[in-house]
Amino acid sequence: MYEDKTLVCKDCGAEFIFTAGEQEFYAERGFENEPKHCKSCRDAKRGNNRPNREMFTAVCDACGGEAIVPFQPRDGRPVYCSACFAKMRGEA
């Protein structure tokens, strides 16, 4: 029923394939318009290409092991490693 289509990205002008599977997905979801941007331009627009976060090393307050966290630890505030944090949330 659907056939692959070659489309041109509105941002960068590159050609990309709008596959039959993608067209079927769009139809199932009720999307009426074809995509106007290639995958790399869509990812860039969504912020998926943002720089990596700065990570900080601290001592886990629960087990004493190394904790690598995406924030600057402050005095008086507990810091937990991934395993201890998951246990506290009941995810382990």
Side-chain angles (χ1 to χ4, degrees):
M1 181 169 171
Y2 297 102
E3 292 183 21
D4 290 357
K5 290 183 183 180
T6 301
L7 303 176
V8 177
C9 179
K10 186 176 177 181
D11 286 342
C12 69
E15 290 186 349
F16 65 98
I17 305 296
F18 185 36
T19 66
E22 290 170 331
Q23 292 175 50
E24 186 173 348
F25 175 83
Y26 272 52
E28 287 173 359
R29 300 295 187 277
F31 301 146
E32 297 177 6
N33 299 320
E34 295 177 342
K36 296 192 179 352
H37 308 281
C38 65
K39 177 158 176 37
S40 60
C41 288
R42 286 193 314 263
D43 288 346
K45 214 170 220 174
R46 288 185 186 129
N48 293 351
N49 293 338
R50 63 183 163 213
N52 291 334
R53 295 174 93 174
E54 182 179 2
M55 301 298 276
F56 300 90
T57 303
V59 176
C60 176
D61 285 325
C63 71
E66 181 180 67
I68 300 174
V69 294
F71 56 88
Q72 177 71 52
R74 292 187 273 172
D75 289 336
R77 305 284 315 244
V79 176
Y80 303 104
C81 66
S82 297
C84 291
F85 187 75
K87 285 179 193 173
M88 291 177 58
R89 296 194 66 161
E91 297 172 1

